[in-house]
Amino acid sequence: MAPWPELENAQPDPNKYMEGDTSQQSATPGKGKDTSQIDDSGTPVTKIELLPSYSTVALIEEPTAVEDPWDLPELRDTGIKWSERDTKGKILCVFQGIGKFILLLAFLYFFVCSLDVLSSAFQLVGGKVAGQFFSNNSIMSNPVAGLVIGVLVTVLVQSSSTSSSIIVSMVASSLLTVRAAIPIIMGANIGTSVTNTIVALMQAGDRSEFRRAFAGATVHDFFNWLSVLVLLPLEAATHYLEILTNLVVETFNFKNGEDAPALLKVITDPFTKLIIQLDKKVINQIAMNDEAAKNKSLIKIWCETFTNVTQMNVTVPSPENCTSPSLCWSDGSYTWTIKNVTYKENIAKCQHIFVNSSLPDVAVGIILLLASLLVLCGCLIMIVKLLGSVLRGQVAVVIKKTLNTDFPFPFAWLTGYLAILVGAGMTFIVQSSSVFTSAMTPLIGIGVITIERAYPLTLGSNIGTTTTAILAALASPGNTLRSSLQIALCHFFFNISGILLWYPIPFTRLPIRLAKGLGNISAEYRWFAIFYLIFFFFLTPLAVFGLSLAGWPVLVGVGAPIILVILLVVVLRFLQSRYPRILPRKLQSWDFLPLWMHSLKPWDELIFLLTGCCQTRCCFCCRVCCRACCLLCGCPACCRCSGCCRILEEEQDTPIKAPKAFDNMAMSTEAQDGVPRSQVDGPDTEVTSSSTAL
């Protein structure tokens, strides 16, 4: 190899920059100084040291500012600008925009329909169990038990309207008092927020989107849980909701009105009724302890019936069982009387897929559950993709400014309250808080709406769903008008009280901070989102319900130590973050505990080991299952099976980039001569990977 020429701006000791040099030089000459040696053939060889440039830009990167993961991404328009298009391109762009808008509406329609079918599927799977929860009146006097019953029933039927209607029927039938029904209403308010949390799981493919989407969904959960944590003990001690709603009902002379306009149902019912129709009266009858209803099917068979009441001669055991003495006679062996007999005649069957099916309710529910989740996931992915392609450039700037900009300075505080009114109005139009919050979740994920703006919209959604219930209560019959109206007003004032607690003062907006913390954890460990959903909406309510069946002493004996430990951890965590100096050195961090007690990393490794089978080669069926798993967990890289386990990072063996001082004509000429790099490097030279170099 030809000797490297002398370079300007060079310094001695090239061994710092080349590894594997076995010959050590004791001293280095000055700048430009070269040493002469004689090789085996006696030819003098001049050895010139290669010296790097004084500039270290290529070796040292300046530290960049840490990006806030909650900043909204800039949706840049990577396509051709409008001014650069010709006439044909402009016409094509307009038709593409119209087509995308129509597709967006179509996928949004099927998204809402899949939510409706998902609710019906949950009712088929767990509707009768939910009715049996209500039929156990012995523990209804326990507010904590009533709370978890409301959570479980609403999660099982995926509809707070259904659970509220059951409560109204029980109160109207004197099976339940208003005082005992208020904690159940609070639980129903918590259970209805599980739908948008499930929708957020569908965006787990991208960590940044999942962080924002899951935080935007769980801000609703934290608002409901914190409100219950404060207002349930207050209601148990003072009964302020019962007194306030009773005063409102007695003060205003309410009359039966018209039902709330079901604007969205008019659009979705023609399609969803072709898939499944349910007889929701069966759940109410089970809650009323009707034994005959336990054997009935929830699937509606006859949609058009005729009921006729006629007087018929019937036999009775004795004259005492006659309707009246004048309508009673005997022929020696039988006693006859006249009674009104209700005769029900079936006229026309319903027109849905499962009308003639012989499958049990649970089987139909599981089929619909899987199908609706598949459609829900597919529609959500396509909605996100379409929104990502449409909301770019100037359009994205305008939408972001419209949704996330506050009013001018003197009236900036009014922006959030206007958002509450907008959320209430939109929920009133679509007749469902679950639909509104679920449709808002992908917008939060792609960065169109901030968490701070989504929070008041969610609070308004809570208000909107209660106004719908109030209008529905006004349309109730006279015997249930008072009870249904009082229950609806309890729901309304509960949400108003929660907003007064957790919104007006910025310091008290704890749900936003808690949701962001949970979003950060779930973005790093995405399995934790599923754990959160199962633990807080299924396991905890079931455990509390089981302890409530054992009685108050058992519930208090088990729950009180757990609550004390949680409070101790919260206080200690607060002191560690704000005032660590007042704590002993050992308590200033959680390092005194085992790693698995204060870190999710060991649990993450355990879950990876349990799911490690996905990395092995498997059959076609397993690959299909893994692909479905990949869609749910959102792993961006693929393993050998189908890529649902983890990102495999492969380090490529590439040499360190040389400084600019080495980029000279001699080296370029040598490269052009076709000398391979492996021959240029010495036999003992180590090649360092790029990751190690950085």
Side-chain angles (χ1 to χ4, degrees):
M1 183 178 71
W4 289 343
E6 181 182 359
L7 301 175
E8 295 182 359
N9 297 331
Q11 288 182 348
D13 196 6
N15 296 327
K16 294 181 180 179
Y17 308 100
M18 296 181 63
E19 298 182 4
D21 190 5
T22 57
S23 61
Q24 302 292 335
Q25 299 180 8
S26 59
T28 55
K31 176 181 177 181
K33 182 179 179 181
D34 40 345
T35 59
S36 298
Q37 296 180 358
I38 299 176
D39 58 3
D40 297 338
S41 60
T43 305
V45 178
T46 302
K47 180 178 180 182
I48 301 176
E49 293 181 349
L50 293 182
L51 307 173
S53 171
Y54 284 117
S55 175
T56 58
V57 175
L59 296 178
I60 301 175
E61 295 183 359
E62 295 182 358
T64 57
V66 179
E67 295 183 359
D68 186 2
W70 298 103
D71 287 341
L72 294 184
E74 184 178 356
L75 302 175
R76 298 179 180 178
D77 191 0
T78 57
I80 304 174
K81 293 183 179 180
W82 179 264
S83 58
E84 298 176 356
R85 296 177 183 268
D86 55 3
T87 305
K88 182 179 179 181
K90 290 180 179 179
I91 295 175
L92 183 62
C93 182
V94 170
F95 279 105
Q96 284 180 348
I98 295 174
K100 288 181 180 180
F101 182 71
I102 294 174
L103 283 176
L104 185 63
L105 291 180
F107 284 120
L108 187 61
Y109 175 78
F110 286 112
F111 174 77
V112 175
C113 290
S114 65
L115 286 176
D116 194 359
V117 176
L118 182 68
S119 175
S120 300
F122 272 106
Q123 292 181 45
L124 285 171
V125 174
K128 292 186 177 181
V129 177
Q132 290 175 359
F133 276 126
F134 280 121
S135 64
N136 194 344
N137 297 329
S138 59
I139 61 171
M140 289 295 184
S141 58
N142 184 348
V144 179
L147 174 73
V148 296
I149 286 175
V151 175
L152 287 172
V153 170
T154 309
V155 168
L156 288 175
V157 301
Q158 282 290 289
S159 173
S160 59
S161 301
T162 302
S163 54
S164 299
S165 64
I166 296 174
I167 297 168
V168 167
S169 301
M170 296 182 69
V171 172
S173 304
S174 299
L175 295 175
L176 198 65
T177 62
V178 174
R179 179 172 298 182
I182 291 175
I184 306 176
I185 289 293
M186 294 182 181
N189 207 52
I190 293 174
T192 191
S193 62
V194 74
T195 306
N196 58 331
T197 308
I198 295 175
V199 170
L201 294 177
M202 306 301 172
Q203 288 185 267
D206 184 89
R207 290 185 186 272
S208 299
E209 286 188 9
F210 185 53
R211 176 186 284 108
R212 291 188 292 266
F214 197 71
T218 53
V219 73
H220 195 186
D221 304 347
F222 282 115
F223 169 77
N224 290 331
W225 282 110
L226 289 174
S227 299
V228 166
L229 190 64
V230 175
L231 297 179
L232 182 62
L234 183 63
E235 172 63 22
T238 62
H239 307 293
Y240 84 100
L241 285 176
E242 181 185 4
I243 296 172
L244 179 61
T245 54
N246 187 41
L247 183 64
V248 171
V249 170
E250 289 182 350
T251 302
F252 297 95
N253 186 20
F254 289 108
K255 296 182 180 179
N256 291 4
E258 296 182 356
D259 201 352
L263 301 180
L264 193 64
K265 289 288 185 181
V266 173
I267 304 173
T268 58
D269 276 356
F271 178 73
T272 56
K273 285 186 176 180
L274 294 176
I275 300 174
I276 191 65
Q277 294 184 44
L278 301 183
D279 186 4
K280 297 182 180 180
K281 295 180 181 178
V282 176
I283 303 178
N284 288 1
Q285 292 169 356
I286 294 175
M288 301 290 185
N289 288 321
D290 188 353
E291 294 295 332
K294 294 181 180 179
N295 297 323
K296 291 183 179 179
S297 174
L298 285 172
I299 301 175
K300 198 171 185 179
I301 305 298
W302 299 96
C303 286
E304 187 177 351
T305 59
F306 175 73
T307 303
N308 186 24
V309 180
T310 58
Q311 291 184 344
M312 295 182 62
N313 295 334
V314 295
T315 59
V316 292
S318 63
E320 287 79 9
N321 301 111
C322 294
T323 53
S324 66
S326 59
L327 300 176
C328 187
W329 64 93
S330 178
D331 59 356
S333 58
Y334 297 100
T335 302
W336 298 82
T337 187
I338 298 177
K339 285 187 177 182
N340 292 331
V341 178
T342 302
Y343 175 71
K344 185 176 181 180
E345 182 180 358
N346 298 321
I347 298 177
K349 279 189 174 184
C350 300
Q351 300 296 322
H352 59 85
I353 299 175
F354 299 96
V355 66
N356 295 319
S357 174
S358 59
L359 295 173
D361 289 357
V362 176
V364 175
I366 292 175
I367 294 172
L368 291 177
L369 183 64
L370 296 176
S372 58
L373 282 176
L374 185 62
V375 174
L376 180 71
C377 181
C379 290
L380 188 63
I381 291 173
M382 295 307 300
I383 287 172
V384 171
K385 295 292 183 183
L386 285 172
L387 288 176
S389 63
V390 171
L391 300 178
R392 288 179 178 176
Q394 194 63 29
V395 177
V397 172
V398 172
I399 292 177
K400 283 185 179 180
K401 285 184 177 180
T402 304
L403 293 175
N404 301 312
T405 305
D406 294 335
F407 287 138
F409 166 66
F411 308 103
W413 59 276
L414 290 175
T415 310
Y417 296 97
L418 178 62
I420 292 176
L421 294 178
V422 170
M426 293 298 296
T427 306
F428 179 79
I429 291 174
V430 301
Q431 292 276 292
S432 173
S433 61
S434 299
V435 171
F436 176 72
T437 54
S438 299
M440 191 170 59
T441 298
L443 295 177
I444 301 171
I446 64 176
V448 176
I449 304 176
T450 61
I451 305 295
E452 288 75 14
R453 181 64 72 240
Y455 180 52
L457 288 171
T458 302
L459 301 185
S461 176
N462 272 0
I463 298 296
T465 191
T466 57
T467 55
T468 304
I470 291 174
L471 290 178
L474 291 175
S476 302
N479 58 339
T480 62
L481 174 63
R482 179 183 173 84
S483 57
S484 59
L485 185 58
Q486 190 170 0
I487 293 297
L489 288 174
C490 286
H491 197 182
F492 175 77
F493 284 113
F494 167 74
N495 283 307
I496 292 292
S497 303
I499 292 175
L500 294 177
L501 279 174
W502 307 114
Y503 188 76
I505 306 174
F507 175 76
T508 60
R509 296 172 187 174
L510 292 179
I512 296 178
R513 281 177 277 178
L514 294 175
K516 283 186 174 182
L518 184 60
N520 288 329
I521 295 174
S522 300
E524 185 175 359
Y525 307 104
R526 281 176 278 192
W527 55 266
F528 188 79
I530 301 176
F531 170 78
Y532 161 81
L533 195 65
I534 295 174
F535 182 78
F536 281 97
F537 290 98
F538 290 97
L539 297 182
T540 300
L542 281 174
V544 175
F545 178 74
L547 293 174
S548 301
L549 291 176
W552 261 107
V554 177
L555 180 62
V556 174
V558 176
I562 296 176
I563 294 175
L564 289 176
V565 170
I566 294 174
L567 291 176
L568 180 63
V569 170
V570 170
V571 172
L572 190 58
R573 184 70 185 90
F574 175 78
L575 294 177
Q576 286 176 351
S577 60
R578 297 297 179 90
Y579 310 103
R581 294 183 179 179
I582 66 175
L583 294 173
R585 182 177 299 273
K586 193 173 184 178
L587 295 179
Q588 290 181 2
S589 66
W590 298 106
D591 294 338
F592 65 93
L593 294 174
L595 185 62
W596 61 270
M597 293 185 67
H598 64 90
S599 174
L600 292 176
K601 190 173 182 180
W603 297 100
D604 184 61
E605 294 174 354
L606 176 63
I607 290 176
F608 172 72
L609 290 176
L610 294 177
T611 58
C613 59
C614 294
Q615 288 190 338
T616 59
R617 292 190 179 272
C618 45
C619 62
F620 174 75
C621 296
C622 294
R623 286 199 295 270
V624 172
C625 294
C626 286
R627 179 60 64 186
C629 171
C630 192
L631 290 175
L632 292 176
C633 69
C635 297
C638 291
C639 61
R640 290 184 296 176
C641 179
S642 68
C644 59
C645 296
R646 65 172 181 175
I647 304 173
L648 300 178
E649 299 177 353
E650 297 182 356
E651 297 181 353
Q652 296 180 353
D653 290 340
T654 55
I656 303 175
K657 180 181 178 181
K660 283 188 175 181
F662 294 96
D663 190 9
N664 51 63
M665 294 299 296
M667 295 178 67
S668 301
T669 307
E670 184 177 347
Q672 292 175 1
D673 291 339
V675 180
R677 179 63 187 266
S678 59
Q679 297 179 12
V680 175
D681 295 333
D684 297 330
T685 301
E686 295 181 3
V687 181
T688 310
S689 66
S690 59
S691 61
T692 307
L694 294 177

